[in-house]
Amino acid sequence: MAENELHVGEPRLCHLIDGDPDTPEAVVMLQNTGDAITATFPISGMASLQRGPYDRWWFRDIEYADDLDRAKYSYSPPPVLMVYDDAGPVVLVGCRATGGARQTFSAGKGVILADFAVLGGRNLKYGEINGMRTTSPAYRKWSGGSAIEIIQETDDTGRLESLTLTLHQVESMKVAQRLNLSARQNWSSTPALDGYDVRESLTFQTLVKRPRSWLEHLDPHIDILDLISIAAWKNCAFQKISVNREDDPAKGPHGTVGERWSNVVSHRLPGDDLTDCDGHFLFSYGDMNKGGINRWLRLRKDYGRALDYLLRILRSGHTWSPQSAVMSGIALEQLGYLIEMKRGSGSRLNERGGLSFKNALDVILGDMKTLPINQDEVEDWKDRCRNLYMGAKHGDRQEVDHLTMLNTLRENLLVLRYWIAGRLGVSSKALDCNLPWDPLRSRFISEEST
């Protein structure tokens, strides 16, 4: 039997279930293009006297004489569709018609884009879900610890005599109140040539009794991925995502056999780095105070206006661009203002309720116990940071040279990351210990000085 998967460039010819009993049976082509999940529909040609049941999804701006009040027919696809073939069912979530329908005199086709494809889902209720699980190679390295214990015994010369590998079942750990967010350590062992293939991973899970939107579930998972990405300064990605609906359980020959967690394919999720970051992080889970993830979720909410710019730089793929340099200045300006409003007395605000750029930097520095910049270089950094930001914003200001831009941007990013680490309880010792391995550790120098 064919496996229920969506491989890039391998289309599947599927029957359609749209939830409307009045529409005739239709066959569509489901495909993972590598950039999007698509379903291609056959539609009528320009010469056809009869409109097909789905034609109007792509030509909704036309006024139809047989439905002037637009009450008789559908003019956009439902947000959830289901298709199936010999490999099994797939639920498409977040469906919308593209504007690129194609028609000839005798025939045509229209394309639906879907945000998510739920492999194995068996009903049209997946617009909301009870649970979500995500894994990433960086999760386990960042969290530390292991479900695998290895004991080696050697002889007097140090030669290995025996090795015992033990796999422990680890209980899930609740890490935040939001949607009962928990972490689960998993391991697997499968026979391989001349031995066994043993793997372990860490999964974050949200699970609630009342179904919630995909966005509600995704938010805490993406927030955690963002935190790990900031700690590694890598564009970390999910390796696997699966979802659960309580009313769509797994079934066997004799009925329900347990929960169904269906794998999801999507091109709407952040990140492109599927490595474990070589285990190098500016701070790890164990470096934070107890409840660090829950604290990060609150920090992300309270200071999101500033942190969003940091994450845009990280996920842009163009860290060292002039645009990133400007965004780092915006992030610092926003952060200083938010700190002053939430934690300060407001004494630094001017008569208009604003905060000058340098005062914003002072507010941030005053909220930090550990700096990535030597004390005797702080004033120089503040001047360069201001000159870089103002030179880019104002046409009457002189722009800084490229080398100054690069080094100032590097320090801006480190200040923002150190501030986050400090607010999560990471010690100066941990930051000093981890910085030598960090991607932003080294100052840029000109070729002339090498």
Side-chain angles (χ1 to χ4, degrees), residues 1 33 45 50 56 94 153 178 218 283 290 315 321 353 360:
M1 182 176 176
T33 68
Q50 298 293 326
R56 300 168 202 245
E153 293 186 5
R178 199 155 121 203
L218 267 173
F283 57 90
K290 184 178 180 181
R315 299 204 182 278
S321 68

Side-chain angles (χ1 to χ4, degrees), residues 29 39 128 163 199 233 249 253 257 298 335 441:
M29 184 176 71
E128 294 184 325
L163 183 148
R199 304 288 176 118
W233 199 249
V257 295
R298 293 197 301 271
L335 181 59
R441 64 189 178 274

Side-chain angles (χ1 to χ4, degrees), residues 373-438:
I373 305 168
N374 294 331
Q375 280 293 342
D376 59 354
E377 297 176 343
V378 168
E379 290 303 318
D380 176 60
W381 167 71
K382 287 163 56 179
D383 288 336
R384 286 185 287 106
C385 185
R386 183 179 184 277
N387 292 339
L388 171 62
Y389 185 46
M390 296 302 173
K393 278 181 62 177
H394 302 288
D396 60 342
R397 300 289 184 93
Q398 184 177 354
E399 290 186 307
V400 303
D401 64 86
H402 189 64
L403 184 61
T404 299
M405 183 271 285
L406 291 175
N407 279 315
T408 306
L409 170 56
R410 182 186 72 86
E411 290 166 333
N412 291 356
L413 297 175
L414 280 172
V415 167
L416 289 163
R417 293 169 69 213
Y418 264 59
W419 178 83
I420 292 168
R423 292 296 295 271
L424 300 179
V426 180
S427 68
S428 302
K429 182 179 179 181
L431 292 170
D432 290 342
C433 181
N434 295 329
L435 183 59
W437 300 98
D438 194 79

